[in-house]
Amino acid sequence: MINSSITKQVNKASDSAMLSAVVDKNFPLESIALSDDVDFSNPATTISATANYQQITNSHLQVKTSSDQDGYLVVLDGFYPGWKAFIDGNECEIYKTN
């Protein structure tokens, strides 16, 4: 099963910095995502959010989310450049993360 989560912080990092962080047991991957494309930060102390993953077909998945604030959805799956993502029916950008 592929996991997904909503985080309140994304730090911009190089590929080598991301790799170092992912293998560092002290880096808080559950609360901070890393990307070479985007910075995102919500100053809130916590976010109350859920992300429920559902595999529709081999090439189609659905993640239903709910959050009381802005957040960054991280789907832990291999990155494929042909993927498309939609929020409320509107196509949105996908950023390679972690």
Side-chain angles (χ1 to χ4, degrees), residues 21-64:
V22 170
V23 297
D24 180 354
K25 293 181 182 186
N26 295 316
F27 187 84
L29 282 172
E30 64 281 346
S31 61
I32 299 174
L34 301 170
S35 173
D36 62 358
D37 294 322
V38 66
D39 271 320
F40 172 81
S41 182
N42 182 330
T45 305
T46 60
I47 294 177
S48 177
T50 60
N52 297 307
Y53 167 87
Q54 181 181 8
Q55 182 82 39
I56 306 298
T57 67
N58 285 338
S59 62
H60 182 187
L61 66 94
Q62 182 173 5
V63 181
K64 291 186 178 182

Side-chain angles (χ1 to χ4, degrees), residues 67-89:
S67 177
D68 65 344
Q69 302 176 43
D70 289 343
Y72 185 90
L73 174 65
V74 177
V75 176
L76 302 177
D77 195 357
F79 179 77
Y80 180 73
W83 285 353
K84 293 183 180 184
F86 299 85
I87 298 174
D88 297 330

